[in-house]
Amino acid sequence: MRFVLCRTMVRRVVCLAVLLSAFAASTHAFAVSPRQLVEMADFSSPVVSPDGSRVAFRIQRASIERDTYDTVWYVQPMDGSSPPQRVGDGGVPLRDSAGIELPPTPVWSPDGRWIYYRARLNDRIDIWRASANGDAAERVTQGDADVRDFSLSVDGKVLQYSVGPTREDVAAAEQAEYDRGVRVDRSTPLGQNLFRSGATGGRLATQRLGLIFNRVDLTDAVPDRWKAVDLATGAVRDLAPSEKPAAALTAADLAKQVNHVWKLDRDRASGRLALLTRTAETTDHPQIVLAMLPAGSTGRVVTCVAKACSGKAISGVQWRPGSDEVIFTVSPYSDGFAQSIYRWNVDTGVVTPVATSTGMFGGEGSWGPGVCGVSPTALACVTAEANRPARLERVDLQTGVRAVLFDPNQALAQAISGIPMQRLRWTDAKGQTLTGQLYSARRTGTAPPPLFVTYYRCLGFMRGGSGDEWPLATMAEQGISTLCINAPSFSSDAATRYEVGQSAVESAINRLAAEGKADRSKIGMGGLSFGSEAMMWILIHSHAIAAASMASPTTSPMYYLLGSNIGDPFVSLLRSNWQLGNPDEASAPWRQISPTFNLGRIDAPILMQFSEQEYMHGLDYAIPMMRSNRADLYVFPHEPHNKFQPKHKLAVYERNLDWFRFWLLGVEDPAPEKAPQYVYWRSMRSSLHDAR
């Protein structure tokens, strides 16, 4: 039965290609091009001045020609009375070891004259300050080591900051290891180059493993040295350990008073704490509670019991300055994480709705929302929806009236508006509610269009899907409908997680096919991280997918071999999250999950576009699939889990677009430089045909 189904699917794909190959695609203008998506403007989280009159934020844009990012700090009046004023250069974006940008949060001086921020400029990380009126931007720290952290005194007269080893010492340590050879131990990041191969602190650095696969700088363990600079005189002095500024309050600090603290925000005036508590992360549907802890260690926790905050998916919490109100955000899965904002008066218990959205009030991204800047009267929010990219809005806290302050993506928003978008909500065969965002394809006839699916998280404007690798709007404009599906839950049992994903994808296909909105024989799928894992499960256990694209490797014996060098932390994680032991035992979970044990069951061609830090983890199945003409593998140098280099982002977007147009539409781009990829893809198509 499996062989018959496989032959049927292959025949459909091959026949489609043969029928359409005669109609060679001509180059034509894009309504929304991959380049536009790469080079759109991204916002940092806005921060409001102490008097509530102005907001500071950073804009970041990719430059494909220079393969870098331009970042600029702006200040704008909260009432929108004038456009934003450029005040300073933000430097090279700093990222974590997975490639995700670190929040570039500025600190306002108490008098509102300056914003202070950490930036990598001229090959060094320092604290800079920019005047709010745009008249001056100057470096505040002058040492020979990169700044790791900073704090401004309450009166704004002294800047305290920490540094690590000198830049010269870091370079010498890396070079010495290069000259002597790298001794492999449990902290060695196997599977990547070992000398200056990953971005840390905005530079290519020699890395070590921190927690499991998190990378840190080679000299990360060198203790911080704290200094202080008098901002009036410029005098710098070393701080004694007792003078080190207190660290920001964390959930761990409250563990003895309140269980399961997840997020918190302190009222500067009174010291009261707004809290979100949440049950264990392994729970499919954690219970979230909004509460307030009075100042002092003996106060009684006050819980919000109003209907608007009971049993709700509360995702963010902030104090409203100069008031007894806490601002909280609700992001329900049942509405595709579309956000609403409320005010909770901690004295009266009254909850008042402020505003609702079909998208995000706290920006966008794969890992959840940021926060709005908050003043006594209004919020400054980076808003984004599936059919409209990010812009800065003012939200009045009394009336809920929204007004756009700055929209650098207006041209892209206008282009996107011509592509039909629909927020979907449906149930699968087990009655589970599912949500997603659908861009409908530009259609040239009455036949249902192909469909591309990605699965994980779909927040705000999903330009590249969950993982930012597939230009969703461009694919729709080119004739392939695109659907991003939100994972409804994350069970601690791996098989359950993937079965939920399979049901979500197959039920979406069934619904859209029944409505004449998708051709079930022309389904593509792509995934990064958990999305890649779920996709591989579907490829192994189903024949729903005609062509696939992987952005990161999935679990395999090679992954186990390289990770096991870390020792017990990795082995324990593999057992708890995937129920996997040693692959030599070839246990049932390994046979269910790993493509290495299921090569004969995967009948869809796979495009693999992996980062250099991860590609070796999947070679035990990638190489056999390449040798049998079923996979095409590309590796991107110096990239971590999430690719971020602009030229690489564009290449990934364009190749994914070409891949799915080839397999789902039978169309080839006639650009001469792309001819080699089509030679190989045609040979893959012939191999699939011969395998019937």
Side-chain angles (χ1 to χ4, degrees):
M1 185 65 168
R2 171 174 297 278
F3 180 69
V4 173
L5 288 171
C6 179
R7 289 183 55 182
T8 300
M9 172 166 286
V10 172
R11 187 182 297 114
R12 286 175 176 171
V13 173
V14 173
C15 289
L16 169 70
V18 171
L19 286 172
L20 295 181
S21 62
F23 303 97
S26 60
T27 302
H28 57 278
F30 291 103
V32 180
S33 70
R35 185 187 189 98
Q36 284 176 284
L37 295 173
V38 173
E39 293 188 330
M40 66 173 276
D42 288 308
F43 286 80
S44 67
S45 293
V47 178
V48 175
S49 61
D51 65 359
S53 66
R54 290 160 295 171
V55 58
F57 57 91
R58 199 184 78 176
I59 293 291
Q60 171 183 303
R61 281 190 185 272
S63 169
I64 291 172
E65 281 81 6
R66 292 179 285 111
D67 200 25
T68 188
Y69 290 86
D70 297 316
T71 61
V72 177
W73 282 103
Y74 290 92
V75 171
Q76 184 175 13
M78 279 288 286
D79 61 8
S81 58
S82 62
Q85 170 74 48
R86 176 176 178 147
V87 299
D89 188 346
V92 177
L94 303 177
R95 301 177 184 276
D96 66 15
S97 66
I100 297 173
E101 186 182 351
L102 296 172
T105 305
V107 174
W108 282 89
S109 62
D111 59 10
R113 292 181 55 203
W114 301 91
I115 60 167
Y116 292 79
Y117 53 91
R118 193 167 71 112
R120 183 174 185 84
L121 287 162
N122 304 319
D123 297 324
R124 50 186 293 156
I125 300 176
D126 287 293
I127 304 305
W128 287 70
R129 70 177 183 179
S131 59
N133 61 10
D135 286 346
E138 58 193 30
R139 189 171 64 193
V140 179
T141 55
Q142 304 290 336
D144 55 2
D146 286 343
V147 176
R148 291 177 170 177
D149 197 4
F150 77 101
S151 175
L152 189 64
S153 63
V154 175
D155 59 11
K157 295 180 179 181
V158 176
L159 181 83
Q160 299 171 315
Y161 63 97
S162 67
V163 296
T166 67
R167 286 177 284 274
E168 183 178 344
D169 287 345
V170 172
E174 293 177 342
Q175 188 62 46
E177 193 176 59
Y178 179 92
D179 293 339
R180 297 193 306 267
V182 178
R183 181 182 182 275
V184 174
D185 59 21
R186 291 186 176 185
S187 70
T188 308
L190 301 180
Q192 68 180 74
N193 289 335
L194 299 182
F195 178 71
R196 295 177 184 165
S197 61
T200 302
R203 61 178 282 270
L204 284 181
T206 295
Q207 297 179 326
R208 285 293 182 268
L209 295 177
L211 179 64
I212 310 297
F213 285 117
N214 290 332
R215 273 84 170 171
V216 297
D217 187 275
L218 176 64
T219 56
D220 181 74
V222 175
D224 284 0
R225 294 174 289 131
W226 279 89
K227 298 176 176 290
V229 55
D230 186 298
L231 295 172
T233 66
V236 180
R237 68 181 183 88
D238 294 330
L239 292 181
S242 59
E243 296 179 286
K244 175 183 173 181
L249 191 68
T250 67
D253 298 321
L254 301 174
K256 293 182 179 179
Q257 292 175 269
V258 186
N259 292 326
H260 306 302
V261 174
W262 177 39
K263 295 183 179 181
L264 58 90
D265 188 50
R266 183 191 291 275
D267 179 20
R268 292 185 179 181
S270 67
R272 293 173 295 182
L273 292 173
L275 305 174
L276 290 181
T277 63
R278 138 178 206 163
T279 53
E281 292 286 341
T282 55
T283 304
D284 281 0
H285 303 286
Q287 181 72 25
I288 299 172
V289 175
L290 172 62
M292 185 274 292
L293 183 65
S297 59
T298 60
R300 181 179 60 85
V301 174
V302 177
T303 300
C304 180
V305 295
K307 183 178 180 180
C309 56
S310 299
K312 304 297 184 181
I314 304 176
S315 56
V317 61
Q318 293 172 275
W319 276 100
R320 182 181 183 179
S323 77
D324 295 317
E325 289 188 339
V326 170
I327 311 298
F328 67 96
T329 308
V330 177
S331 308
Y333 175 83
S334 60
D335 200 21
F337 298 107
Q339 293 186 326
S340 299
I341 298 174
Y342 297 84
R343 295 186 280 118
W344 170 44
N345 188 300
V346 298
D347 284 346
T348 66
V350 173
V351 172
T352 305
V354 175
T356 60
S357 171
T358 60
M360 308 296 288
F361 279 113
E364 56 181 302
S366 299
W367 305 107
V371 295
C372 296
V374 58
S375 79
T377 59
L379 299 172
C381 299
V382 178
T383 59
E385 296 89 11
N387 60 345
R388 188 173 177 185
R391 70 273 184 198
L392 183 67
E393 289 192 19
R394 180 186 189 275
V395 181
D396 190 284
L397 283 170
Q398 289 299 123
T399 66
V401 171
R402 298 168 57 177
V404 175
L405 294 176
F406 185 40
D407 188 358
N409 294 312
Q410 190 171 9
L412 178 59
Q414 185 174 358
I416 291 286
S417 67
I419 301 173
M421 193 286 299
Q422 179 183 1
R423 290 193 301 148
L424 295 184
R425 187 173 185 271
W426 71 100
T427 56
D428 62 10
K430 296 181 179 180
Q432 180 167 241
T433 298
L434 298 155
T435 64
Q437 299 175 356
L438 174 72
Y439 285 114
S440 295
R442 173 184 56 82
R443 298 169 72 164
T444 56
T446 59
L451 174 68
F452 169 83
V453 179
T454 186
Y455 177 78
Y456 200 169
R457 277 287 182 262
C458 315
L459 306 176
F461 177 64
M462 291 300 301
R463 57 181 161 192
S466 189
D468 194 20
E469 299 255 340
W470 304 271
L472 299 186
T474 308
M475 293 171 71
E477 187 248 323
Q478 293 294 301
I480 302 171
S481 292
T482 56
L483 174 64
C484 183
I485 302 176
N486 292 301
S489 62
F490 292 92
S491 170
S492 59
D493 179 75
T496 300
R497 289 197 303 271
Y498 302 145
E499 287 169 351
V500 168
Q502 180 179 345
S503 179
V505 170
E506 292 181 344
S507 61
I509 294 170
N510 291 338
R511 169 181 166 168
L512 294 175
E515 295 175 352
K517 296 179 179 178
D519 184 339
R520 66 171 64 252
S521 70
K522 305 171 191 175
I523 306 297
M525 188 171 181
L528 170 76
S529 196
F530 172 67
S532 183
E533 297 172 35
M535 184 188 73
M536 184 55 72
W537 174 279
I538 295 171
L539 290 173
I540 293 170
H541 297 276
S542 168
H543 295 287
I545 309 303
S549 168
M550 296 179 69
S552 59
T554 186
T555 313
S556 72
M558 180 63 77
Y559 172 78
Y560 177 89
L561 175 65
L562 296 174
S564 64
N565 183 59
I566 298 171
D568 290 341
F570 171 81
V571 174
S572 297
L573 179 68
L574 206 65
R575 288 193 181 277
S576 61
N577 279 17
W578 288 275
Q579 294 75 58
L580 297 175
N582 191 320
D584 291 340
E585 302 168 2
S587 62
W590 272 110
R591 292 194 299 272
Q592 277 189 309
I593 292 173
S594 176
T596 311
F597 296 102
N598 292 281
L599 293 173
R601 303 178 69 180
I602 301 171
D603 50 51
I606 305 179
L607 174 63
M608 301 174 179
Q609 301 200 85
F610 294 162
S611 70
E612 187 176 45
Q613 287 190 352
E614 298 180 338
Y615 83 101
M616 287 187 65
H617 295 236
L619 289 183
D620 52 348
Y621 56 86
I623 290 175
M625 293 195 73
M626 286 189 291
R627 291 182 62 187
S628 60
N629 234 10
R630 292 181 291 157
D632 195 9
L633 172 63
Y634 293 80
V635 177
F636 291 85
H638 298 150
E639 291 285 12
H641 188 58
N642 294 270
K643 306 176 191 72
F644 65 87
Q645 297 175 54
K647 287 185 178 179
H648 289 169
K649 296 293 294 184
L650 182 61
V652 167
Y653 274 174
E654 290 184 338
R655 188 171 293 116
N656 271 320
L657 177 63
D658 291 344
W659 175 260
F660 287 107
R661 291 180 74 208
F662 177 84
W663 289 103
L664 302 183
L665 293 173
V667 170
E668 298 182 12
D669 189 325
E673 65 272 16
K674 293 184 178 181
Q677 74 180 11
Y678 290 113
V679 170
Y680 184 61
W681 294 353
R682 285 189 222 111
S683 72
M684 293 176 68
R685 188 171 63 197
S686 296
S687 295
L688 283 171
H689 181 270
D690 293 342
R692 288 188 299 165

